[in-house]
């Protein structure tokens, strides 16, 4: 037997032994979700502008995805954890999240038995989607119907790279978390009062040469009551050579959200209020344009990666009121109203108006893993574009494995 063959056999034996040890001490689970259906949407705007689309769509209720998660006990109640998850378009198989293999989740961390606390390093969501997803009647889905249409940091599709998160549970039902991203690696724009300028999203070791992000959150869940509060702040990359001096040191983007849900049995009531200053952490649904006209954002459905825009004159207040009505054990109706009311002087569009969205949906569960849905939504001044309207109706099938 040659020396090379001996090395190969030794490596194979080592891999088998390692796999056997993992099987004895740890667990790994392969999982996935597929969501596809039909969507019809129309968008109108100033000067008799009109645009529409009809066709198949992916991830309308929940982003289609696949992944693997695992856990290994370390002793004394502590565990090592990991999660790798990628998103895709079920209608054509294309990868989402800018083509990342594991763009939805990619982290490693530690946790403790009998506690909701954890420590994680990698690509993951901030605290706003983590705490407000169960409060949103549309649970982060259905495009402009979701809470994130007015509260950008609550966008469950957006993940931040290079993020460290720590969450603790000091008392039963109470969770407190903090996180810092050395570079979220999102598409980033700076508005100079006349046009948007694209900036870099790469990561390097120079602290001031990256867009950075802070995410904070607290939630309380006890019986029928659920409360949450989050704060996100994005710091600009002042060293980017593509930026003019007058916007290189833009003010930080800040967003806070406070809200909750109460389950009365026959109906669940959800509400939230928030505020944005200095720009927007996520821009989705209707794109910012340079010609003063709205345009349908093809990423407004599941899997769309939002963008960061710095604009010191962009300030707005956000509101959400929603209801969930269980019909029986396998079906429910959910509805909500969201509003983003501009109170700044931004000129990102020729005309800026308060954005309102009125939405209703229905879900029927065939089994615990498979359901159908139908939803419709109507929005005025979407994306703060005055005199614009957006209407859609969707229906589809979702299956989890």
């Amino acid at each position: 037997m040659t020396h090379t063959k001996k090395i190969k056999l030794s490596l194979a034996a080592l891999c088998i032994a390692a796999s056997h040890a993992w099987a004895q001490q740890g667990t790994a689970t392969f999982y996935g979700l597929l969501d596809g259906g039909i969507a019809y949407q129309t968008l109108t705007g100033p000067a008799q502008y009109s645009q529409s689309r009809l066709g198949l769509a992916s991830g309308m209720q929940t982003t289609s995805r696949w992944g693997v998660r695992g856990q290994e006990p370390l002793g004394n109640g502590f565990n090592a954890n990991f999660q790798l998850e990628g998103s895709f378009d079920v209608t054509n198989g294309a990868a989402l999240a800018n083509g990342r293999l594991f763009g939805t989740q990619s982290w490693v961390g530690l946790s403790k038995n009998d506690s909701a606390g954890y420590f994680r390093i990698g690509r993951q969501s901030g605290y706003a989607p983590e705490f407000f997803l169960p409060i949103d009647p549309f649970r982060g889905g259905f495009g402009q119907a979701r809470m994130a249409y007015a509260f950008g940091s609550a966008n469950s599709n957006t993940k931040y790279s290079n993020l460290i998160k720590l969450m603790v549970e000091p008392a039963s039902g109470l969770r407190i978390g903090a996180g810092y991203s050395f570079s979220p690696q999102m598409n980033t724009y700076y508005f100079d009062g006349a046009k948007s300028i694209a900036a870099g999203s790469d990561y390097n070791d120079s602290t001031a040469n990256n867009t950075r992000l802070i995410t904070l959150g607290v939630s309380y869940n006890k019986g029928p009551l659920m409360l949450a509060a989050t704060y996100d702040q994005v710091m600009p990359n002042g060293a980017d050579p593509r930026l003019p001096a007058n916007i290189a040191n833009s003010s930080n983007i800040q967003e806070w959200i406070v809200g909750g849900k109460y389950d009365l049995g026959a109906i669940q009531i959800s509400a939230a209020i928030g505020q944005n200053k200095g720009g927007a952490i996520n821009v989705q649904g209707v794109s910012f344009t340079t010609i003063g006209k709205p345009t349908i954002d093809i990423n407004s459905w599941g899997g769309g990666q939002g963008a960061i825009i710095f604009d010191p004159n962009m300030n707005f207040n956000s509101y959400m009121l929603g209801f969930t009505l269980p019909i029986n054990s396998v079906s429910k109706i959910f509805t909500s109203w969201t509003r983003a009311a501009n109170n700044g002087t931004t000129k990102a569009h020729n005309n800026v108006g308060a954005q309102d969205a009125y939405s209703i949906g229905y879900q029927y569960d065939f089994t615990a893993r498979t359901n159908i849905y139908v939803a419709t939504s109507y929005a005025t001044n979407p994306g703060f574009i005055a005199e614009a309207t957006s209407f859609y109706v969707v229906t589809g099938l979702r299956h989890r494995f």
Side-chain angles (χ1 to χ4, degrees), residues 176-256:
I176 302 174
Y180 178 83
S181 171
F182 292 86
S183 174
Q185 291 188 313
M186 292 176 60
N187 294 328
T188 304
Y189 301 88
Y190 292 76
F191 190 74
D192 67 357
K195 62 182 182 300
S196 294
I197 300 174
S201 61
D202 294 334
Y203 172 56
N204 54 63
D205 292 327
S206 178
T207 302
N209 199 24
N210 291 285
T211 303
R212 291 142 289 143
L213 178 140
I214 295 171
T215 179
L216 306 172
V218 57
S219 74
Y220 179 76
N221 190 353
K222 200 73 171 180
L225 178 64
M226 182 180 298
L227 299 172
T230 59
Y231 174 82
D232 289 82
Q233 178 174 296
V234 187
M235 290 77 79
N237 177 4
D240 194 313
R242 288 164 288 195
L243 302 178
N246 64 320
I247 61 172
N249 294 309
S250 296
S251 58
N252 298 337
I253 302 173
Q254 302 176 65
E255 180 177 3
W256 61 262

Side-chain angles (χ1 to χ4, degrees), residues 155-176:
N155 188 344
S156 60
N157 287 333
T158 298
K159 311 298 179 181
Y160 304 128
S161 296
N162 307 297
L163 177 61
I164 296 177
K165 287 177 71 179
L166 174 66
M167 185 159 68
V168 297
E169 187 180 27
S172 177
L174 177 63
R175 295 181 295 167
I176 302 174

Side-chain angles (χ1 to χ4, degrees), residues 35-37 55-59 64 88-94:
D35 182 335
L56 297 181
S58 175
S64 298
F88 59 91
D89 187 325
V90 75
T91 66
N92 58 25

Side-chain angles (χ1 to χ4, degrees), residues 28-336:
T29 302
F30 178 75
Y31 65 93
L33 182 151
L34 296 97
D35 182 335
I38 299 176
Y40 172 72
Q41 184 175 14
T42 62
L43 189 67
T44 63
Q48 297 182 327
Y49 174 84
S50 180
Q51 185 181 6
S52 66
R53 69 165 184 162
L54 171 65
L56 297 181
S58 175
M60 292 180 291
Q61 183 175 24
T62 309
T63 305
S64 298
R65 65 191 68 186
W66 66 278
V68 58
R69 63 171 68 94
Q71 175 176 295
E72 181 187 18
L74 302 177
N76 297 319
F78 287 93
N79 303 287
N81 312 87
F82 74 89
Q83 185 170 6
L84 301 172
E85 184 178 281
S87 56
F88 59 91
D89 187 325
V90 75
T91 66
N92 58 25
L96 300 177
N98 294 328
R100 287 183 171 91
L101 179 61
F102 299 117
T104 310
Q105 302 272 0
S106 176
W107 55 262
V108 62
L110 300 171
S111 65
K112 195 174 189 304
N113 294 338
D114 304 322
S115 172
Y118 58 73
F119 172 74
R120 295 173 182 171
I121 297 174
R123 183 174 174 83
Q124 51 197 308
S125 66
Y127 284 105
E130 183 170 351
F131 289 164
F132 281 98
L133 202 65
I135 292 174
D136 180 5
F138 287 84
R139 296 191 65 83
F142 298 102
Q144 70 187 37
R146 59 186 170 182
M147 176 181 169
Y149 199 57
F151 301 80
S153 64
N155 188 344
S156 60
N157 287 333
T158 298
K159 311 298 179 181
Y160 304 128
S161 296
N162 307 297
L163 177 61
I164 296 177
K165 287 177 71 179
L166 174 66
M167 185 159 68
V168 297
E169 187 180 27
S172 177
L174 177 63
R175 295 181 295 167
I176 302 174
Y180 178 83
S181 171
F182 292 86
S183 174
Q185 291 188 313
M186 292 176 60
N187 294 328
T188 304
Y189 301 88
Y190 292 76
F191 190 74
D192 67 357
K195 62 182 182 300
S196 294
I197 300 174
S201 61
D202 294 334
Y203 172 56
N204 54 63
D205 292 327
S206 178
T207 302
N209 199 24
N210 291 285
T211 303
R212 291 142 289 143
L213 178 140
I214 295 171
T215 179
L216 306 172
V218 57
S219 74
Y220 179 76
N221 190 353
K222 200 73 171 180
L225 178 64
M226 182 180 298
L227 299 172
T230 59
Y231 174 82
D232 289 82
Q233 178 174 296
V234 187
M235 290 77 79
N237 177 4
D240 194 313
R242 288 164 288 195
L243 302 178
N246 64 320
I247 61 172
N249 294 309
S250 296
S251 58
N252 298 337
I253 302 173
Q254 302 176 65
E255 180 177 3
W256 61 262
I257 309 174
V258 176
K261 181 175 73 172
Y262 194 84
D263 189 349
L264 295 170
I267 186 173
Q268 300 172 10
I269 304 173
S270 300
I273 185 172
Q275 186 179 71
N276 261 79
K277 289 185 177 181
I281 294 178
N282 278 294
V283 179
Q284 279 200 317
V286 175
S287 297
F288 283 81
T289 66
T290 58
I291 58 175
K293 291 184 177 180
T295 179
I296 291 179
D297 184 351
I298 61 173
N299 289 324
S300 62
W301 300 107
Q305 171 75 11
I308 294 172
I309 181 166
F310 286 91
D311 182 351
N313 298 313
M314 180 182 288
N315 304 316
F316 57 93
N317 298 327
S318 303
Y319 311 90
M320 184 274 288
L321 179 64
F323 304 92
T324 302
L325 296 85
I327 300 173
N328 50 45
S329 61
V330 296
S331 62
K332 62 181 178 180
I333 294 173
F334 35 94
T335 183
S336 73

